[in-house]
Amino acid sequence: MPFSEFLNSRRQDCKDLVAELSKSYSYVSILGSDVRSTAVRANRSTSAIGEGSMSECGFVITLHNGRSFFEYSLDDVQGDKKALAETILSALKVDASLEDRSIEVAKIRDEAMVKSFARDCDFDRYTDEDLLDFAKKYKDEILAADEKMLNATVAILPFTVSKLFVTKNRELDQFYSWVNILAMAVYRDGKIVSAREGTYSNLMSEAMEQFPAKIPLLVEKAKKLATAKPIVPGVYDVITDPSISGLIAHEAFGHGVEMDQFVKDRALAKQYVGDYVASPLCNMKDGAASALSTASYFFDDHGVLAHDTQIIKDGILVSGISDLVSASELGTEPTGNGRRQSYKRKAYSRMTNTFFEAGNDKLEDMIASIKHGYMLFETNNGMEDPKNWQIQCTAEYGIEIVDGKLTDNYVSPVVMSGSVPELLKSISMVSDEFKVIGSGSCGKGYKEWVRVSDGGPALKVKVKLA
Amino acid sequence: MTERILNILKTTPGVSDYRLNTVVTKSYELFFVHKKLETVRATDTASRNVTVYVKHGDFMGDYTFPVYVSQTDTEIADKVADAVKKAQLIDNPYYDLPAEGTLSAAADSNLESMPAEELGAKIADAAFAASCYANGSINALEVFLYRDEVSVINSRGTEKSEVRLHAMIEAIPTWNNGDESVEIYEDHRFTEFDAAAITEEIDRKMQEVRDRCFAKAPNEKLTCPVVLNAPELAYLAMDLAGELNYASVYNKTNAFAKGDSLQKNPTGDLLNITLRGRMKGSVRSALFDADGTAMTDTTVIEKGSAVGYYGASRFAQYLQLPPTGNLPCAEVNVGTLTAEELKAQPYFECISMSGLQLDIYNDYIGGEVRLAYYVDGDNKTPVTGISISGKLSDCLSEIRLSSTETVYGGYKGPDKALFTKIEIV
């Protein structure tokens, strides 16, 4: 599939508008976004083909003169550039009472680069009819698997991203894709439960090929969850699956090293760079270039090239992740983590693909080392608290471990909470298996949703469960 | 743009019905780091979504796609023709689009009483007015002013529009005590500018963050009733009501149904929840939903039992029930718990949670508590580092609702609720 024709048709408009606005500001950038997303769904009673939630098409202009940053979002950049520049500058007026309260930072460097980036995408080999047939087929298979299956939903959620970034000296464009295929089963055996499975890839063919193997796992999981009981609250030895390890990486430390939080004195991590913050077994990374997953872009929404950032090395915090604005305020180099929910929203320092790196332990040895505890599976949700280093992560379910063996006793849901340093320093074993799960979304606070992946190996920790 | 789209929809073969949803948004936004202005943003954008409906046999298929201002008539016509083909693949039971007539409503708000840059500065000043403590400050403040012109037009003569003005502050009150520094997240949404109310709200949060700074984990397990406040009660009410949405009922994903009791063997106050379209001061208020269906206030839970369903036109038709619109606000009747009665016993009041965790299927309520007060008579001790956990069904059966009322987001109802069967861990 090609880069957006629409954005290509607006390249010269962007250059002309940059030139016009450069009469007023020393740094002017324009980011054009054309994101196409589709949602194909089938359940027991209905089906739908529609636009996905990520679709957007428009531009955001960033202006800077060494003091505050100014941004203007609009749908198109065609037309009289002088008039458009006047409209933009007028809309960004600041009340006189705020004029002497601007930040002051070094002017943004605008190093020359002209480059196009693209990743393989096979989405155009599949029609909507193909996708709907696929969804219906496996929806029917799930429903037929057990008479207690109340409903089944299969959703195929592909998106393609085209972005164009233009300044006086830079012209970058990128094209990449991602698809999640998700299945949900609603099952009643005494109580009603829901279970989820999914596959994901930058290639539709790969996600489709892996999907059928998930169906028996989904059905079996639904049956087991119907037997799940609430956990007895307490502190336990716990093994986390890659999804929960990723959730810990994301919530416990990922948000805490987003460096716009450093600027606002909102992250305790700022004081701990160079210090032990976790077990020496712990290594953690983030970066759009760190793994191939849902957040693997080539340049960020400020035009900074993707990085592979080591955050924790052998238990020591070595680096944070930053966007252009926070890096300029801190006097550091941006790490390519400036991301927007859409062209209508501000860019912040955001995670991309965040994960713990693999260790040397065998999962079976980790389970065997626990007298009584739980293995936790599948992210439900999590909430960060980077200032106070508290954490709340909810797993879909857990399986009890007794005398070093997984039992048939399921608990659900399971909320894990406590102090981040205590949790990370309690890591005593790290498995040699490793997985990054590319189906996540992440908010900052309670808004600004972007696609993220996270993951890692299995970890053995001690933590409070409720 | 609207006329261009409608003309194409009216003349494309195969289109049985259509709907055009438009939101034109203008915003003005200020972002402060401490008290310094870091970023100023303005937006002028439109989102237009076209839904094409195709009746084929006994079925109704539909396909929705966005139209961008940059698209030519030819591009839009191609997308409509493509939508007809895609809608023909969808075999949903037939339903009619609502014929709801016309409406044009102005905003019920004072947010346009002055220029946006002036109002933005006044809101920021009102928030920072609370930041006047030696050890307390607002480390970050974001101010958003929105003007949304929301409209829906369909092929059955529905043509409705409504201007919705709303504002939001995201503030991070912070308290420092020596090397220790703690914060609380504050998300305050409103439709009326009231500088004193903003200062009062942020100041209340400053008091809470000060208390969080001195809060400690309890030395021993606390065994006393738990009090939840409006944010958590709003979430609980909307989650319970959501199970009674027509779409959930039709798709058989609802955990309970009309006639089911949510409060078996009740020992507390009985739950009464009415869903509403508009609520004064609520940023969620709306006169009509995405189909243009007028909102019809509906009682969904009465005396502890599910008594009604609600929802949009399509699933209403499937269930042969009247469409109420997708009602965005919930009103919960106040209960009998007075301040004096509450004070008569020690209790644990959750002030700031990471987020209430509710799982109706698994009968769970709980979450991490970032700040709570252990209240014993006139003594109020700040507590942190704990979680709460309980069986939702047990909690509903013994819930005590306060006799005093508040408005929070899309919620109007008791400002507190008392639970005796939630465990503090």
Side-chain angles (χ1 to χ4, degrees), chain B residues 122-153:
Chain B
K122 283 184 189 297
I123 290 172
D125 285 345
F128 283 123
S131 182
C132 52
Y133 297 89
N135 295 325
S137 60
I138 295 171
N139 279 12
L141 175 72
E142 299 183 356
V143 177
F144 299 86
L145 300 174
Y146 291 108
R147 182 187 200 279
D148 292 333
E149 191 171 346
V150 181
S151 70
V152 54
I153 298 171

mmCIF file of all heavy atoms in Angstrom, chain B residues 122-153:
data_model
loop_
_atom_site.group_PDB
_atom_site.id
_atom_site.type_symbol
_atom_site.label_atom_id
_atom_site.label_comp_id
_atom_site.label_asym_id
_atom_site.label_seq_id
_atom_site.Cartn_x
_atom_site.Cartn_y
_atom_site.Cartn_z
ATOM 1 N N LYS B 122 -8.304 33.815 32.820
ATOM 2 C CA LYS B 122 -9.054 33.935 34.087
ATOM 3 C C LYS B 122 -9.193 32.569 34.777
ATOM 4 O O LYS B 122 -9.113 32.469 36.004
ATOM 5 C CB LYS B 122 -10.445 34.530 33.818
ATOM 6 C CG LYS B 122 -10.438 36.040 33.585
ATOM 7 C CD LYS B 122 -11.863 36.540 33.423
ATOM 8 C CE LYS B 122 -11.903 38.005 32.971
ATOM 9 N NZ LYS B 122 -11.325 38.937 33.943
ATOM 10 N N ILE B 123 -9.428 31.537 33.973
ATOM 11 C CA ILE B 123 -9.541 30.189 34.552
ATOM 12 C C ILE B 123 -8.203 29.795 35.183
ATOM 13 O O ILE B 123 -8.153 29.263 36.296
ATOM 14 C CB ILE B 123 -9.988 29.176 33.478
ATOM 15 C CG1 ILE B 123 -11.452 29.436 33.093
ATOM 16 C CG2 ILE B 123 -9.815 27.739 33.976
ATOM 17 C CD1 ILE B 123 -11.943 28.625 31.901
ATOM 18 N N ALA B 124 -7.110 30.055 34.450
ATOM 19 C CA ALA B 124 -5.782 29.724 34.994
ATOM 20 C C ALA B 124 -5.527 30.490 36.288
ATOM 21 O O ALA B 124 -5.047 29.920 37.276
ATOM 22 C CB ALA B 124 -4.710 30.035 33.951
ATOM 23 N N ASP B 125 -5.865 31.782 36.285
ATOM 24 C CA ASP B 125 -5.660 32.583 37.500
ATOM 25 C C ASP B 125 -6.478 32.036 38.660
ATOM 26 O O ASP B 125 -6.012 32.000 39.808
ATOM 27 C CB ASP B 125 -6.050 34.046 37.234
ATOM 28 C CG ASP B 125 -4.994 34.763 36.399
ATOM 29 O OD1 ASP B 125 -3.874 34.226 36.286
ATOM 30 O OD2 ASP B 125 -5.300 35.848 35.852
ATOM 31 N N ALA B 126 -7.725 31.631 38.373
ATOM 32 C CA ALA B 126 -8.585 31.091 39.435
ATOM 33 C C ALA B 126 -7.990 29.813 39.999
ATOM 34 O O ALA B 126 -8.037 29.575 41.214
ATOM 35 C CB ALA B 126 -9.984 30.827 38.878
ATOM 36 N N ALA B 127 -7.413 28.979 39.140
ATOM 37 C CA ALA B 127 -6.792 27.730 39.618
ATOM 38 C C ALA B 127 -5.545 28.041 40.433
ATOM 39 O O ALA B 127 -5.349 27.503 41.528
ATOM 40 C CB ALA B 127 -6.453 26.829 38.436
ATOM 41 N N PHE B 128 -4.700 28.945 39.922
ATOM 42 C CA PHE B 128 -3.459 29.260 40.630
ATOM 43 C C PHE B 128 -3.719 30.045 41.919
ATOM 44 O O PHE B 128 -2.859 30.087 42.799
ATOM 45 C CB PHE B 128 -2.504 30.045 39.722
ATOM 46 C CG PHE B 128 -1.794 29.172 38.714
ATOM 47 C CD1 PHE B 128 -1.892 29.444 37.350
ATOM 48 C CD2 PHE B 128 -1.034 28.090 39.122
ATOM 49 C CE1 PHE B 128 -1.239 28.646 36.427
ATOM 50 C CE2 PHE B 128 -0.383 27.275 38.204
ATOM 51 C CZ PHE B 128 -0.482 27.560 36.848
ATOM 52 N N ALA B 129 -4.898 30.659 42.033
ATOM 53 C CA ALA B 129 -5.227 31.368 43.276
ATOM 54 C C ALA B 129 -5.235 30.413 44.461
ATOM 55 O O ALA B 129 -5.022 30.825 45.603
ATOM 56 C CB ALA B 129 -6.587 32.057 43.137
ATOM 57 N N ALA B 130 -5.460 29.128 44.189
ATOM 58 C CA ALA B 130 -5.449 28.137 45.271
ATOM 59 C C ALA B 130 -4.040 27.674 45.593
ATOM 60 O O ALA B 130 -3.824 26.974 46.565
ATOM 61 C CB ALA B 130 -6.295 26.935 44.877
ATOM 62 N N SER B 131 -3.099 28.089 44.790
ATOM 63 C CA SER B 131 -1.732 27.586 44.928
ATOM 64 C C SER B 131 -0.912 28.502 45.825
ATOM 65 O O SER B 131 0.201 28.874 45.512
ATOM 66 C CB SER B 131 -1.094 27.488 43.535
ATOM 67 O OG SER B 131 0.198 26.963 43.608
ATOM 68 N N CYS B 132 -1.479 28.912 46.950
ATOM 69 C CA CYS B 132 -0.814 29.938 47.749
ATOM 70 C C CYS B 132 -0.371 29.388 49.100
ATOM 71 O O CYS B 132 -0.705 29.913 50.133
ATOM 72 C CB CYS B 132 -1.731 31.146 47.921
ATOM 73 S SG CYS B 132 -3.349 30.707 48.541
ATOM 74 N N TYR B 133 0.339 28.275 49.069
ATOM 75 C CA TYR B 133 0.861 27.670 50.297
ATOM 76 C C TYR B 133 2.380 27.594 50.180
ATOM 77 O O TYR B 133 2.911 27.380 49.084
ATOM 78 C CB TYR B 133 0.297 26.268 50.479
ATOM 79 C CG TYR B 133 -1.211 26.231 50.656
ATOM 80 C CD1 TYR B 133 -2.053 26.145 49.546
ATOM 81 C CD2 TYR B 133 -1.782 26.292 51.916
ATOM 82 C CE1 TYR B 133 -3.427 26.119 49.701
ATOM 83 C CE2 TYR B 133 -3.162 26.262 52.081
ATOM 84 C CZ TYR B 133 -3.981 26.170 50.971
ATOM 85 O OH TYR B 133 -5.327 26.153 51.121
ATOM 86 N N ALA B 134 3.066 27.721 51.317
ATOM 87 C CA ALA B 134 4.532 27.648 51.291
ATOM 88 C C ALA B 134 4.986 26.287 50.758
ATOM 89 O O ALA B 134 5.949 26.196 50.005
ATOM 90 C CB ALA B 134 5.073 27.881 52.691
ATOM 91 N N ASN B 135 4.284 25.232 51.155
ATOM 92 C CA ASN B 135 4.710 23.884 50.754
ATOM 93 C C ASN B 135 3.824 23.281 49.664
ATOM 94 O O ASN B 135 4.034 22.133 49.266
ATOM 95 C CB ASN B 135 4.691 22.941 51.959
ATOM 96 C CG ASN B 135 5.712 23.370 52.991
ATOM 97 O OD1 ASN B 135 6.777 23.860 52.635
ATOM 98 N ND2 ASN B 135 5.366 23.231 54.253
ATOM 99 N N GLY B 136 2.834 24.019 49.224
ATOM 100 C CA GLY B 136 1.905 23.460 48.236
ATOM 101 C C GLY B 136 1.912 24.273 46.960
ATOM 102 O O GLY B 136 2.035 25.501 46.984
ATOM 103 N N SER B 137 1.821 23.589 45.832
ATOM 104 C CA SER B 137 1.806 24.303 44.552
ATOM 105 C C SER B 137 1.089 23.452 43.510
ATOM 106 O O SER B 137 0.803 22.278 43.740
ATOM 107 C CB SER B 137 3.243 24.563 44.081
ATOM 108 O OG SER B 137 3.910 23.330 43.910
ATOM 109 N N ILE B 138 0.820 24.096 42.372
ATOM 110 C CA ILE B 138 0.260 23.347 41.249
ATOM 111 C C ILE B 138 1.400 23.152 40.251
ATOM 112 O O ILE B 138 1.874 24.113 39.648
ATOM 113 C CB ILE B 138 -0.917 24.102 40.616
ATOM 114 C CG1 ILE B 138 -2.058 24.197 41.629
ATOM 115 C CG2 ILE B 138 -1.384 23.396 39.348
ATOM 116 C CD1 ILE B 138 -3.181 25.096 41.198
ATOM 117 N N ASN B 139 1.864 21.921 40.111
ATOM 118 C CA ASN B 139 3.039 21.664 39.271
ATOM 119 C C ASN B 139 2.719 21.671 37.786
ATOM 120 O O ASN B 139 3.609 21.833 36.963
ATOM 121 C CB ASN B 139 3.675 20.329 39.649
ATOM 122 C CG ASN B 139 4.562 20.478 40.868
ATOM 123 O OD1 ASN B 139 4.528 21.508 41.539
ATOM 124 N ND2 ASN B 139 5.348 19.473 41.157
ATOM 125 N N ALA B 140 1.477 21.427 37.449
ATOM 126 C CA ALA B 140 1.084 21.457 36.047
ATOM 127 C C ALA B 140 -0.388 21.812 35.970
ATOM 128 O O ALA B 140 -1.175 21.397 36.813
ATOM 129 C CB ALA B 140 1.326 20.107 35.388
ATOM 130 N N LEU B 141 -0.713 22.612 34.960
ATOM 131 C CA LEU B 141 -2.111 22.999 34.776
ATOM 132 C C LEU B 141 -2.400 23.044 33.280
ATOM 133 O O LEU B 141 -1.635 23.621 32.506
ATOM 134 C CB LEU B 141 -2.360 24.385 35.380
ATOM 135 C CG LEU B 141 -3.768 24.957 35.149
ATOM 136 C CD1 LEU B 141 -4.802 24.211 35.990
ATOM 137 C CD2 LEU B 141 -3.823 26.452 35.488
ATOM 138 N N GLU B 142 -3.488 22.404 32.880
ATOM 139 C CA GLU B 142 -3.935 22.473 31.490
ATOM 140 C C GLU B 142 -5.358 22.997 31.484
ATOM 141 O O GLU B 142 -6.195 22.541 32.262
ATOM 142 C CB GLU B 142 -3.871 21.083 30.839
ATOM 143 C CG GLU B 142 -2.461 20.512 30.816
ATOM 144 C CD GLU B 142 -2.366 19.164 30.105
ATOM 145 O OE1 GLU B 142 -3.410 18.629 29.688
ATOM 146 O OE2 GLU B 142 -1.236 18.665 29.971
ATOM 147 N N VAL B 143 -5.614 23.969 30.623
ATOM 148 C CA VAL B 143 -6.949 24.575 30.519
ATOM 149 C C VAL B 143 -7.465 24.343 29.098
ATOM 150 O O VAL B 143 -6.780 24.670 28.120
ATOM 151 C CB VAL B 143 -6.892 26.091 30.803
ATOM 152 C CG1 VAL B 143 -8.267 26.727 30.615
ATOM 153 C CG2 VAL B 143 -6.370 26.362 32.208
ATOM 154 N N PHE B 144 -8.638 23.772 28.974
ATOM 155 C CA PHE B 144 -9.229 23.497 27.662
ATOM 156 C C PHE B 144 -10.592 24.182 27.584
ATOM 157 O O PHE B 144 -11.445 23.975 28.456
ATOM 158 C CB PHE B 144 -9.446 21.993 27.453
ATOM 159 C CG PHE B 144 -8.190 21.181 27.504
ATOM 160 C CD1 PHE B 144 -7.692 20.723 28.716
ATOM 161 C CD2 PHE B 144 -7.502 20.855 26.344
ATOM 162 C CE1 PHE B 144 -6.536 19.958 28.775
ATOM 163 C CE2 PHE B 144 -6.341 20.098 26.387
ATOM 164 C CZ PHE B 144 -5.854 19.649 27.609
ATOM 165 N N LEU B 145 -10.804 24.972 26.538
ATOM 166 C CA LEU B 145 -12.122 25.570 26.272
ATOM 167 C C LEU B 145 -12.618 25.016 24.946
ATOM 168 O O LEU B 145 -11.923 25.121 23.932
ATOM 169 C CB LEU B 145 -12.013 27.095 26.164
ATOM 170 C CG LEU B 145 -11.477 27.824 27.392
ATOM 171 C CD1 LEU B 145 -11.284 29.314 27.069
ATOM 172 C CD2 LEU B 145 -12.440 27.668 28.551
ATOM 173 N N TYR B 146 -13.790 24.446 24.955
ATOM 174 C CA TYR B 146 -14.312 23.815 23.741
ATOM 175 C C TYR B 146 -15.651 24.426 23.334
ATOM 176 O O TYR B 146 -16.520 24.666 24.174
ATOM 177 C CB TYR B 146 -14.562 22.317 23.954
ATOM 178 C CG TYR B 146 -13.310 21.504 24.122
ATOM 179 C CD1 TYR B 146 -12.972 20.983 25.373
ATOM 180 C CD2 TYR B 146 -12.480 21.226 23.049
ATOM 181 C CE1 TYR B 146 -11.824 20.219 25.543
ATOM 182 C CE2 TYR B 146 -11.335 20.461 23.207
ATOM 183 C CZ TYR B 146 -11.013 19.968 24.447
ATOM 184 O OH TYR B 146 -9.884 19.203 24.614
ATOM 185 N N ARG B 147 -15.785 24.620 22.016
ATOM 186 C CA ARG B 147 -17.089 24.939 21.433
ATOM 187 C C ARG B 147 -17.378 23.865 20.393
ATOM 188 O O ARG B 147 -16.742 23.807 19.338
ATOM 189 C CB ARG B 147 -17.061 26.309 20.755
ATOM 190 C CG ARG B 147 -18.398 26.718 20.186
ATOM 191 C CD ARG B 147 -18.287 27.996 19.377
ATOM 192 N NE ARG B 147 -19.581 28.638 19.223
ATOM 193 C CZ ARG B 147 -20.490 28.281 18.326
ATOM 194 N NH1 ARG B 147 -20.253 27.271 17.501
ATOM 195 N NH2 ARG B 147 -21.639 28.911 18.254
ATOM 196 N N ASP B 148 -18.317 22.981 20.706
ATOM 197 C CA ASP B 148 -18.688 21.908 19.780
ATOM 198 C C ASP B 148 -20.054 22.214 19.187
ATOM 199 O O ASP B 148 -21.023 22.412 19.924
ATOM 200 C CB ASP B 148 -18.792 20.558 20.507
ATOM 201 C CG ASP B 148 -17.450 20.050 21.001
ATOM 202 O OD1 ASP B 148 -16.425 20.416 20.391
ATOM 203 O OD2 ASP B 148 -17.444 19.302 21.995
ATOM 204 N N GLU B 149 -20.129 22.253 17.870
ATOM 205 C CA GLU B 149 -21.432 22.360 17.220
ATOM 206 C C GLU B 149 -21.744 20.969 16.667
ATOM 207 O O GLU B 149 -21.122 20.507 15.711
ATOM 208 C CB GLU B 149 -21.406 23.394 16.104
ATOM 209 C CG GLU B 149 -22.786 23.706 15.601
ATOM 210 C CD GLU B 149 -22.804 24.900 14.650
ATOM 211 O OE1 GLU B 149 -21.796 25.633 14.588
ATOM 212 O OE2 GLU B 149 -23.816 25.056 13.965
ATOM 213 N N VAL B 150 -22.684 20.308 17.339
ATOM 214 C CA VAL B 150 -22.986 18.904 17.043
ATOM 215 C C VAL B 150 -24.257 18.848 16.212
ATOM 216 O O VAL B 150 -25.268 19.466 16.569
ATOM 217 C CB VAL B 150 -23.204 18.122 18.368
ATOM 218 C CG1 VAL B 150 -23.486 16.655 18.087
ATOM 219 C CG2 VAL B 150 -22.004 18.275 19.277
ATOM 220 N N SER B 151 -24.211 18.134 15.104
ATOM 221 C CA SER B 151 -25.437 18.034 14.310
ATOM 222 C C SER B 151 -25.622 16.644 13.732
ATOM 223 O O SER B 151 -24.651 15.885 13.556
ATOM 224 C CB SER B 151 -25.435 19.069 13.174
ATOM 225 O OG SER B 151 -24.476 18.733 12.210
ATOM 226 N N VAL B 152 -26.876 16.288 13.493
ATOM 227 C CA VAL B 152 -27.212 15.031 12.828
ATOM 228 C C VAL B 152 -28.323 15.303 11.811
ATOM 229 O O VAL B 152 -29.303 15.991 12.112
ATOM 230 C CB VAL B 152 -27.605 13.931 13.849
ATOM 231 C CG1 VAL B 152 -28.716 14.382 14.777
ATOM 232 C CG2 VAL B 152 -28.014 12.655 13.144
ATOM 233 N N ILE B 153 -28.098 14.795 10.621
ATOM 234 C CA ILE B 153 -29.097 14.913 9.554
ATOM 235 C C ILE B 153 -29.297 13.512 8.989
ATOM 236 O O ILE B 153 -28.307 12.808 8.730
ATOM 237 C CB ILE B 153 -28.597 15.847 8.421
ATOM 238 C CG1 ILE B 153 -28.370 17.260 8.957
ATOM 239 C CG2 ILE B 153 -29.572 15.866 7.239
ATOM 240 C CD1 ILE B 153 -27.677 18.191 7.963
#
